[in-house]
Amino acid sequence: MELVATENQTMIAQMVRDFGAHHIRPHMMKWDESQEFPLDIFRKLGELGLMGVLVPLEYGGAGFGYTEYVTAIAELSKIDGSIGLSMAAHNSLCTGHILQHASEAQKSKYLPKLASGEWIGAWGLTEPNTGSDAGNMRTVAVEDGEYYVLNGAKNFITHGKSGNVAVVIARTGEVGDSHGMTAFIVERGTPGFTAGRKEDKLGMRASETAEMIFTDCRIPKENVIGNIGDGFVQSLKVLDGGRISIAALSLGIAQGAYEAALQYSKERHQFNQPISNFQGIGFKLADMATEIEAASLLTYRAADMKDRGLNVNRESAMAKLYASEVAVRTANEGVQIFGGYGYTKDYPAEKFYRDAKLCTIGEGTSEIQKLVIARTLLK
């Protein structure tokens, strides 16, 4: 495995850093305070090719692979995890599901709009009473002539209010049947499809999270993705790639928290010397740097395997598990190094601290990742 950044990765990293310095960093705390979802930023990211990183050129995408994708998410997340999260969810979940499993007609219709950033994508699996237990979902789709009629609700959905199109998983068979769920493409504006409550969150506050509600929502059969009953199996495959996204998100947050703490430790003087001279601080920085390096290797290994078409079920779970826990530990130690200032909004440590925790929950909790890994070990 090549560990040196490619020319594409280097180019993307610099492009994202420049973009972030001009368009994100000056506004991100305002967005955080007001929970504003900055739609214009995602239109601009679309112009840079970052809303369709994995989408082939023929559908208007950038045509890159997962290694470039990981680089883009990590660099965005070093600046603002909220923007990294929304970019990742758009690319890997809604767009990724259509890219991997939709018909040619569906790809041609939706991917160009999603890849350009003209449309924002959402993906609906989680429900109020079924998080990890997706097999017991209560959103149902009943066949009615040339349509399916959807009833139910999805929650904790990224872009659940502002998304122009959503891929929604609904039950078309018996409860608990892994082949009893189907994926549908649902456009905003479809009668019976409405947005519910927007969540007031601890962190990632500029990334919109809201309910999607379906009341006698009629979806034409041409909007079914793949075969009836394949929705859950499709979702598991989508989540394998999605977990690499969250590993990259976690990696970026950890790197941002570490770099801020390192810089501060060199500038902050106590007892007539920089606090970085003290062993207590130096050891913290050493642990942070080592764990980030390990998380990076796990994440890029999973990305490399995904690019080569290999099964990444275990590797993506390992990367997501480890990188997300490292993000939390690094952000926590970052606050400690900043001391009292780390508890204020005048410095970046507190935001990394708030943002990091979601990484251990979204797209499968740390406990679910351990379950996935254990099952692969015990086969």
Side-chain angles (χ1 to χ4, degrees):
M1 179 178 169
E2 180 60 66
L3 299 178
V4 178
T6 65
E7 183 178 345
N8 282 338
Q9 286 176 275
T10 301
M11 176 196 69
I12 289 169
Q14 188 59 56
M15 179 180 71
V16 172
R17 283 193 290 269
D18 292 343
F19 180 86
H22 288 94
H23 298 287
I24 299 175
R25 198 177 296 280
H27 311 290
M28 64 184 194
M29 292 310 295
K30 176 177 72 73
W31 297 334
D32 183 78
E33 287 289 329
S34 64
Q35 295 203 83
E36 177 185 348
F37 178 53
L39 266 171
D40 286 348
I41 288 296
F42 296 97
R43 310 289 189 224
K44 290 184 172 71
L45 287 174
E47 293 171 5
L48 297 178
L50 295 178
M51 297 300 275
V53 180
L54 302 168
V55 176
L57 296 174
E58 58 262 36
Y59 300 115
F64 287 128
Y66 266 80
T67 51
E68 291 88 357
Y69 179 45
V70 164
T71 299
I73 296 173
E75 288 295 334
L76 272 178
S77 305
K78 283 169 67 174
I79 303 166
D80 187 350
S82 297
I83 305 303
L85 172 62
S86 275
M87 179 267 203
H90 171 92
N91 274 275
S92 68
L93 297 180
C94 179
T95 305
H97 198 134
I98 293 171
L99 178 62
Q100 292 178 53
H101 300 290
S103 67
E104 187 60 37
Q106 291 168 338
K107 291 178 185 179
S108 297
K109 181 177 181 180
Y110 293 105
L111 289 180
K113 292 181 178 180
L114 290 165
S116 68
E118 178 186 350
W119 279 18
I120 301 297
W123 193 71
L125 179 65
T126 301
E127 297 185 359
N129 295 311
T130 58
S132 300
D133 185 18
N136 276 312
M137 68 172 56
R138 292 298 185 263
T139 298
V140 297
V142 178
E143 188 175 7
D144 182 17
E146 292 303 308
Y147 292 83
Y148 275 87
V149 181
L150 269 65
N151 281 283
K154 302 289 182 179
N155 76 332
F156 298 135
I157 306 303
T158 305
H159 315 143
K161 184 176 182 180
S162 296
N164 302 94
V165 62
V167 173
V168 180
I169 317 303
R171 184 163 56 81
T172 49
E174 296 300 317
V175 173
D177 180 5
S178 62
H179 294 283
M181 290 163 274
T182 301
F184 299 87
I185 300 174
V186 187
E187 294 184 25
R188 184 69 62 185
T190 302
F193 176 23
T194 57
R197 185 171 67 101
K198 180 178 176 180
E199 302 295 342
D200 186 2
K201 299 182 296 183
L202 170 70
M204 305 284 198
R205 289 169 60 84
S207 177
E208 178 188 278
T209 304
E211 292 177 309
M212 297 192 302
I213 299 171
F214 305 93
T215 307
D216 294 331
C217 182
R218 296 176 66 81
I219 309 301
K221 287 184 174 179
E222 65 189 39
N223 282 30
V224 171
I225 299 179
N227 296 320
I228 298 298
D230 283 352
F232 185 64
V233 175
Q234 293 171 5
S235 297
L236 294 180
K237 293 177 181 177
V238 169
L239 285 170
D240 279 346
R243 284 164 181 162
I244 298 174
S245 298
I246 303 302
L249 173 69
S250 305
L251 179 62
I253 291 172
Q255 288 172 330
Y258 164 73
E259 289 174 8
L262 177 64
Q263 183 65 30
Y264 181 80
S265 74
K266 295 175 180 178
E267 297 170 352
R268 172 69 167 169
H269 282 66
Q270 292 285 274
F271 305 101
N272 301 314
Q273 59 184 309
I275 63 172
S276 57
N277 285 356
F278 298 117
Q279 190 177 72
I281 301 299
F283 279 10
K284 288 183 187 297
L285 293 168
D287 286 340
M288 293 158 79
T290 302
E291 291 193 339
I292 288 169
E293 191 69 21
S296 178
L297 291 170
L298 280 170
T299 303
Y300 278 101
R301 179 185 69 159
D304 177 69
M305 290 178 64
K306 184 73 172 173
D307 281 339
R308 289 188 284 129
L310 302 176
N311 187 320
V312 294
N313 183 237
R314 178 175 66 182
E315 287 73 17
S316 65
M318 285 180 169
K320 197 269 187 188
L321 168 66
Y322 189 74
S324 64
E325 296 292 343
V326 165
V328 170
R329 287 194 294 270
T330 301
N332 180 57
E333 291 289 41
V335 171
Q336 197 69 18
I337 289 171
F338 273 86
Y341 291 113
Y343 209 65
T344 72
K345 292 184 180 292
D346 295 327
Y347 290 86
E350 64 86 29
K351 185 175 185 301
F352 286 121
Y353 183 77
R354 289 186 290 108
D355 287 349
K357 186 56 190 172
L358 180 66
C359 297
T360 69
I361 299 169
E363 295 197 36
T365 63
S366 290
E367 291 75 18
I368 288 295
Q369 304 314 310
K370 290 179 182 180
L371 181 64
V372 170
I373 296 164
R375 283 176 175 171
T376 67
L377 300 176
L378 299 172
K379 279 184 177 179

